[in-house]
Amino acid sequence: MSAYAVTFVFTLTALAQSGGYRPVADTNDAGVDMAAKFAVSEQSTRSKTTVMLNSVVKASDKEPILGARDFALCLDTSIQAKQTYVQAIVTMDQHSNLKLMGWSQVDVRQWFGWHQFPALSLRYRCPGR
C-alpha cells in the first residue's frame, strides 16, 4: 500500500471518529444566531406558548459536511415570561434549511463542565456555565 493510500485511509478514519460536537468560540456566529432564533421560534410554534430568546449561553457544532451543520445550543430563554434554560439541537442543511431536532429544559444549577442531559441522546452534550 502506498504512503498516499495509508494517509488517505488514516484521514478518513480520523474524520469518522471526530463526529462529535466542538465548542463554538463566538456565540455571535451567524450560523449560531440563526439556529438559536429558529429553535426559539419553532418551539414557540410547536408548544403554542410565547418563547423569547434572551441569549446564547454556549454553542457547539459538528464539523460541516457538504455545507451542512449541526448545532447543540444552550439557550437562556423566557417561556411565558419565566426565565428558563434549555438545550436545543438544530440541524442546518447545505441550503440553510433548519430543523429543530431536540428541545429540553435544564436546571442551570446542575451545569458544570460538560454536563450530559438525559432527555437527549448521549451524543449531544451541552457545556456548563
Side-chain angles (χ1 to χ4, degrees), residues 36 39-40 43-44 47 49-58 73-88 103-109 111 117 126 129:
V40 167
Q43 182 61 24
S44 185
S47 65
T49 59
T50 303
V51 182
M52 306 265 310
L53 177 64
N54 298 328
S55 67
V56 177
V57 178
K58 297 278 184 172
L73 306 168
C74 297
L75 306 175
D76 175 2
T77 65
S78 293
I79 300 177
Q80 295 183 330
K82 181 181 175 205
Q83 185 179 27
T84 307
Y85 290 90
V86 300
Q87 180 184 37
W103 179 274
S104 177
Q105 293 185 19
V106 295
D107 183 354
V108 74
R109 294 172 295 177
W111 285 6
F117 292 94
C126 189
R129 272 194 128 154

Side-chain angles (χ1 to χ4, degrees), residues 22-34:
R22 61 179 182 198
V24 175
D26 181 11
T27 56
N28 294 317
D29 172 86
V32 169
D33 186 57
M34 184 186 307

Side-chain angles (χ1 to χ4, degrees), residues 4 22 38 42 49 57 64-66 87-88 90 104 124-125:
Y4 179 78
R22 61 179 182 198
F38 171 79
E42 181 68 13
T49 59
V57 178
I65 299 173
L66 300 174
Q87 180 184 37
V90 177
S104 177
Y124 300 126
R125 294 179 182 211

